[in-house]
Amino acid sequence: LKHRFELLKESYCLATSITALHLLALADLGMAWLPDHVWLKQKAERAAKGQGKGIASKGKGKGGGTWVFVKNDAVVKPTPRVKSKGGKSSGGKGKGQARTTPYSQLSEEKKAEIREKHEARAQEEGREHAGDRFFLGTLKKRGRFNGWIVPSTPGQLPGNVKAKLKEMTATQKARAEERGHASKFDEGVIYLRMSDVCEGVKVDPGDKLKFKVYVDSEGVGAYEVQLA
């Protein structure tokens, strides 16, 4: 059988095309076609595990692939590419992924579009500015789109803001306990949406900030946020 395979391999190296008859002959010999990157990956995996069963021989074919000879009942299956968080594929280098352009580098037209969406969302949430005074605080934590600020003097917040902050704190605490994250809950913090940070300002946990406050259907938030 191996002799037949060697003869068949030589004839296919000289052939300019593969016909349906050739494919049937290969199937009868127990051969299968694999793309090169799949064959090389499976070969490396088998070598690492010290296994030699499955593929006995290799013959080159057209189209960036490989004809493989399958021993016994071994089945050659392409290794699936598992998608991880962020949309990256573990089988590639992430080519073709869109890059996020910093807000400060966007065109004025795009900035205006983003501001309109932001204002529409704020209006939908029932945002109301609580005066025009700046308050001080420290950025406790942040993600890509939001964060939380610990106010330096919560007692100086307007009465309606303190009432909303107390209500929001109770709601957030209940959610944290329900999800088993009570130990990670921060009490008395003010919500920060990154789109409310002044243009060109970069904030990180631990930064001292100054900001104005608003109330909405969700609780209390900060806007016009900048470094103190």
Side-chain angles (χ1 to χ4, degrees), residues 2-105:
K2 287 185 179 180
H3 178 67
R4 291 177 59 193
F5 169 75
E6 293 298 330
L7 292 176
L8 186 59
K9 182 177 68 173
E10 293 178 3
S11 65
Y12 271 84
C13 289
L14 299 175
T16 58
S17 63
I18 299 176
T19 65
L21 183 60
H22 292 152
L23 292 174
L24 290 175
L26 288 170
D28 289 340
L29 286 174
M31 298 183 69
W33 171 265
L34 285 182
D36 283 342
H37 74 278
V38 175
W39 188 88
L40 292 172
K41 185 173 183 179
Q42 292 189 359
K43 180 180 178 182
E45 290 175 351
R46 286 192 304 276
K49 295 179 180 180
Q51 297 176 352
K53 295 182 179 180
I55 298 176
S57 302
K58 172 188 175 186
K60 292 188 176 181
K62 294 185 177 182
T66 301
W67 287 106
V68 294
F69 182 74
V70 183
K71 284 185 177 180
N72 303 327
D73 297 326
V75 178
V76 180
K77 296 182 180 180
T79 303
R81 295 189 176 189
V82 180
K83 219 169 192 180
S84 59
K85 292 181 180 180
K88 292 184 178 180
S89 173
S90 60
K93 294 185 179 180
K95 292 184 178 180
Q97 294 178 353
R99 294 183 178 180
T100 303
T101 302
Y103 180 82
S104 59
Q105 297 179 17

Side-chain angles (χ1 to χ4, degrees), residues 132-186:
D132 201 42
R133 176 184 172 182
F134 276 101
F135 295 91
L136 298 176
T138 303
L139 184 60
K140 177 70 174 180
K141 62 179 67 172
R142 67 154 293 176
R144 182 178 177 184
F145 300 108
N146 52 49
W148 296 94
I149 299 173
V150 179
S152 299
T153 54
Q156 295 182 11
L157 295 170
N160 64 325
V161 175
K162 287 191 285 188
K164 268 288 188 179
L165 184 58
K166 184 178 181 180
E167 179 183 323
M168 181 176 72
T169 297
T171 301
Q172 293 294 331
K173 185 175 183 179
R175 289 176 181 172
E177 290 176 346
E178 183 180 346
R179 297 170 183 172
H181 299 155
S183 60
K184 299 180 181 180
F185 173 74
D186 296 305

